[in-house]
Amino acid sequence: MLRLLVLHGPNLNLLGTREESIYGTTTLAEVDATLAQFAEEHQIGMTIRQSNLEGELVTWIQEAKGRFDGVVINPAGYTHTSVAIRDAIAAVALPTVEVHLTNIHQREEFRHKSFIAGVALAQISGFGPNGYLLAVRGLADHLKSSQLRGVRSRRSSRDQSKRRGGSK
Ligand code: CA2
């Protein structure tokens, strides 16, 4: 079973309760319920967490190594400032998808730069809450096909070794 970690960054706990003209009316609890339902339907193990603290997000990313196969993260305001979150993602080397509700490239100049994009597998920006679902789907497909490639390449090395008379 694939295991995915979904992380929401600072202020996303306010989703659906303020600034609806920018971030919409869907609450974070509704986003999480949709993701949890998708995970159940597709037999994906999923843990979802939100924090307003940079260090807490860094710790959760570090702890993800060995416990999860991939990470979906909306780093929110930390997208544009956090070398620490970028370094944590690079350190654990888990396939990570960066999600933004809004199209950050159409907004203020300071939101155009993402410290995360360079270490992410992909960035999804501008699809609202649906972006999380697209990210989970894309990441799960990516992980399944890379696992399958791993199985096939191990099988082919074993077969080659057998043909050469090796024991493996
Ligand atoms: O578009 C996104 O998802 C962002 O990551 C959201 C961040 C923003 O700093 C990024 O530039 C783009 C802000 C999250 C704050 O969310 C709120 C939701 C409702 C009310 C107030 C803030």
Side-chain angles (χ1 to χ4, degrees):
M1 184 190 255
L2 284 182
R3 302 152 305 165
L4 300 185
L5 175 64
V6 178
L7 295 178
H8 304 290
N11 297 308
L12 286 165
N13 52 312
L14 301 178
L15 210 59
T17 67
R18 292 193 188 65
E19 298 196 66
E20 291 96 328
S21 59
I22 303 174
Y23 296 113
T25 54
T26 307
T27 65
L28 194 63
E30 288 166 343
V31 171
D32 292 349
T34 305
L35 290 176
Q37 192 186 334
F38 180 89
E40 200 184 315
E41 284 167 9
H42 291 82
Q43 286 160 345
I44 295 170
M46 186 180 283
T47 296
I48 309 176
R49 307 181 97 166
Q50 187 275 330
S51 180
N52 293 327
L53 305 176
E54 185 177 21
E56 194 157 46
L57 292 163
V58 167
T59 299
W60 290 341
I61 294 165
Q62 288 180 7
E63 290 173 354
K65 189 81 198 167
R67 295 187 190 165
F68 295 95
D69 302 300
V71 178
V72 168
I73 183 169
N74 183 345
Y78 290 138
T79 306
H80 321 294
T81 64
S82 183
V83 175
I85 292 177
R86 178 196 172 100
D87 287 347
I89 293 170
V92 298
L94 287 172
T96 296
V97 179
E98 174 186 355
V99 175
H100 299 287
L101 298 159
T102 59
N103 182 343
I104 56 173
H105 305 286
Q106 277 183 352
R107 300 185 62 192
E108 303 96 318
E109 188 81 36
F110 69 86
R111 294 187 203 274
H112 297 182
K113 169 74 191 166
S114 165
F115 280 79
I116 312 305
V119 292
L121 173 69
Q123 184 192 66
I124 295 176
S125 181
F127 280 117
N130 197 32
Y132 285 100
L133 217 42
L134 296 172
V136 166
R137 200 188 282 272
L139 183 56
D141 286 352
H142 169 86
L143 289 166
K144 276 186 220 143
S145 42
S146 48
Q147 282 180 355
L148 204 61
R149 273 197 300 277
V151 168
R152 286 194 180 129
S153 104
R154 279 192 297 279
R155 192 179 295 154
S156 117
S157 343
R158 195 194 53 209
D159 291 350
Q160 273 177 16
S161 160
K162 265 192 194 156
R163 277 197 295 276
R164 286 194 206 108
S167 56
K168 276 198 231 161

